[in-house]
Amino acid sequence: MEPTKKRTGKADYLPFINICVVVLALVVVGVLALVLPKPTVSEIEKRELAKKPQWTLSSWFSGAFAKDYDAYYADTFPQRENFVSVATKLEQMRGLHPDDVRIHQASTPQTGIDQQKPAQQPQQQESQQQIDYDSYTDPNAPGNGLSGNGSVGEQVGSIFLYQNMGMQIFGSSETLSKRYAEVINSYADNLEGVQVYNLIAPTSIEFYLPEKYQGISSSEKENIEFVNQNLSDKVKPVDAYSEIEKQKDDYIYFRTDHHWTVRGAYAAYIAFCKTAGLEPVPLDEMERHQIDGFVGTFYNQTQDAKLAETPDFVEYFVPPTETETLRYERGKAFDPVEGSIFASYATGGQNTYSVFLHGDFPLTKITTDNHTGRKIMLIKESFGNAFAPFLVSHYDEVYIVDQRYFELGVEDFIKENGITDLLILNNIFAVNTSLRIDELETIRDQEYTPYVAPVVPQPAPSQEQQDAAQQQAVTNEEESSGQNAAQDASQSTTQNAEQQVEQDEEKESSESSQKQQSDKDSQSDQEKTQSQEKPRKGLGRLGG
């Protein structure tokens, strides 16, 4: 019996075809990701994207180049923000729904924080008078961001939605937190005579996450205490957490954005005044402004319709202090631009938070008329923008440094400008993010390198565009020739007319001369005739 021959058909080649299609798609997408123009700013995340790293031999062998290029490639992937939006919508379509709560698979937060004894409270400087810091609350403050409506709990990726309010799920890292403290300590060790303060801002999830969901997020309070325990005696920790917790029923965090509001920043300002022995300026002594219609990062990342139904408003308070503000933009470390503390032109929308300091710049210098003999530098990320304006009431000069973009060396800058106080302010996520810690360590003693803006390659013109440009050039040449001919004809006509006028004038002049000569001759003949006809006087009386 002959063996049965296996028949081959199209189905046998299908796996090979699928593999080829997938590989081809990956190659095409990879090539496009390399050659297409790269975005430089993320509107959704409100941050500057990673820049293409410069290759060096040392960075290649240390692995830093590969790490930086990986971040650059991921940040500038084509249509990245559109893919994020689509992924979010797909995420919302799946999952279980017990008790009206959407549960999505997410990475387990890193706890990693050992149970330690509570951090010691910072020693308060002696002040000339006893200050009642608890009295600096606003009885007319609006309620917190919770609307009382909306979902009872919904996790979308790393964001938790509750009663129309977004919160970012926090995961702590003991290793990164300890390293953050070590970098802060290095500033204090190298800056003799400069008082260093450290302020860590908690986020909304610490105060508004429902009790039954507490397990999805690490404790921010424990993480802050852990960092403070690892600070040296030269650094004064600012207990912003306790002041914010007192006011959690007020509007201290946005619903649609990850930042604190100006009232949350003001609570942290009260805590800083406690630590530094300063008397705060009451809110009712400042000029209040409000901008409505703000939707921020939580809405941009989730596209949640319920968040859009309850947009935020942005308040800002102008301190009663005369100030002059200079702003230093990227690539212009020594070329200031006159500015202001607040961007009054902000009118709502995604970038309304930029009303504070006009957004994020490498350096902003504010000069006051306080005459206190003290100067302060604030090193911050975007959380510090709403906080910074309160400092102008207590210092002669306020230097605001964004650790992500500053181009000079902090320690040398502090010594050269006679700065007496250094406040480092970061939100709890930055404290547990390697990139933010690297930035803080880098700017400590970096040397100035001129910033070079990325060059966006221009696509080559198509054949149709080239033909249209060539046709336009021919048309322009013909129009130019016609204009030249008309101009020559006009000049010729003008010259002929001028010649004709000159000939007419010469003819008239000649005829006039002939007529004058004729008149003279006629007059002369007439005078001769008259003289002949007249009798001579005395000829008839001879001898008489």
Side-chain angles (χ1 to χ4, degrees), residues 191 409-417 444-446:
L191 293 170
V410 167
E411 291 182 353
D412 289 341
F413 189 93
I414 287 176
K415 296 173 183 177
E416 291 171 2
N417 290 275
R444 183 184 57 207
D445 49 13
Q446 72 179 349

Side-chain angles (χ1 to χ4, degrees), residues 520-530:
K520 288 181 180 180
D521 294 341
S522 176
Q523 183 177 3
S524 177
D525 293 341
Q526 187 176 1
E527 290 177 352
K528 290 180 180 180
T529 304
Q530 290 177 353

Side-chain angles (χ1 to χ4, degrees), residues 190-468:
N190 298 335
L191 293 170
E192 292 293 335
V194 177
Q195 181 58 62
V196 178
Y197 301 90
N198 180 56
L199 192 160
I200 301 176
T203 64
S204 57
I205 198 168
E206 182 72 5
F207 306 105
Y208 304 116
L209 181 66
E211 185 176 354
K212 63 179 178 179
Y213 303 115
Q214 290 292 327
I216 70 173
S217 183
S218 300
S219 169
E220 294 186 355
K221 182 177 182 180
E222 291 179 4
N223 186 236
I224 293 173
E225 291 175 347
F226 177 80
V227 174
N228 290 341
Q229 289 167 1
N230 284 276
L231 294 175
S232 71
D233 295 336
K234 297 179 181 179
V235 180
K236 291 189 175 183
V238 178
D239 184 17
Y241 186 99
S242 297
E243 291 298 322
I244 291 175
E245 187 177 30
K246 292 177 185 177
Q247 301 181 37
K248 65 181 181 180
D249 292 332
D250 293 338
Y251 190 50
I252 56 176
Y253 290 98
F254 293 114
R255 287 183 290 270
T256 68
D257 192 76
H258 67 285
H259 294 104
W260 56 14
T261 69
V262 71
R263 295 180 181 274
Y266 184 77
Y269 161 68
I270 298 297
F272 174 72
C273 288
K274 274 187 178 182
T275 306
L278 303 174
E279 183 175 2
V281 178
L283 285 177
D284 57 12
E285 293 184 9
M286 305 185 199
E287 183 180 317
R288 180 185 177 275
H289 299 264
Q290 178 173 322
I291 305 172
D292 296 321
F294 172 48
V295 288
T297 52
F298 289 151
Y299 171 73
N300 291 331
Q301 293 175 18
T302 65
Q303 299 293 305
D304 187 84
K306 296 175 182 177
L307 288 181
E309 293 173 357
T310 54
D312 288 291
F313 60 88
V314 177
E315 298 175 286
Y316 64 97
F317 294 85
V318 181
T321 305
E322 293 293 329
T323 61
E324 293 182 358
T325 304
L326 296 177
R327 182 174 69 246
Y328 294 79
E329 300 176 353
R330 293 202 65 185
K332 300 178 180 179
F334 306 101
D335 187 15
V337 176
E338 291 187 6
S340 58
I341 300 177
F342 301 100
S344 57
Y345 53 79
T347 56
Q350 296 183 3
N351 293 318
T352 310
Y353 188 76
S354 295
V355 68
F356 302 106
L357 306 179
H358 297 249
D360 300 313
F361 290 91
L363 173 64
T364 301
K365 176 184 177 182
I366 304 174
T367 305
T368 74
D369 59 351
N370 292 325
H371 305 293
T372 64
R374 301 175 67 182
K375 302 178 182 179
I376 189 170
M377 173 184 282
L378 170 65
I379 299 179
K380 56 84 184 177
E381 33 75 40
S382 57
F383 261 68
N385 293 10
F387 177 93
F390 297 120
L391 296 175
V392 302
S393 299
H394 307 283
Y395 294 89
D396 299 343
E397 294 176 356
V398 179
Y399 296 86
I400 305 164
V401 167
D402 194 304
Q403 64 191 51
R404 298 165 294 181
Y405 311 123
F406 192 58
E407 298 170 316
L408 305 177
V410 167
E411 291 182 353
D412 289 341
F413 189 93
I414 287 176
K415 296 173 183 177
E416 291 171 2
N417 290 275
I419 294 172
T420 58
D421 298 78
L422 172 62
L423 170 60
I424 300 174
L425 189 161
N426 274 294
N427 75 79
I428 190 68
F429 283 86
V431 173
N432 291 267
T433 301
S434 179
L435 178 60
R436 299 282 88 87
I437 302 173
D438 290 343
E439 293 165 349
L440 195 59
E441 187 173 27
T442 298
I443 65 172
R444 183 184 57 207
D445 49 13
Q446 72 179 349
E447 295 182 0
Y448 173 67
T449 302
Y451 170 73
V452 179
V455 178
V456 180
Q458 298 295 329
S462 63
Q463 186 62 40
E464 294 180 355
Q465 292 174 331
Q466 295 179 7
D467 294 342

Side-chain angles (χ1 to χ4, degrees), residues 120-141:
Q120 296 180 354
Q121 294 295 324
Q123 295 181 355
Q124 182 177 330
Q125 291 184 356
E126 292 293 334
S127 56
Q128 295 181 354
Q129 57 181 348
Q130 194 68 24
I131 302 172
D132 182 13
Y133 291 100
D134 292 333
S135 65
Y136 289 90
T137 56
D138 184 3
N140 299 317

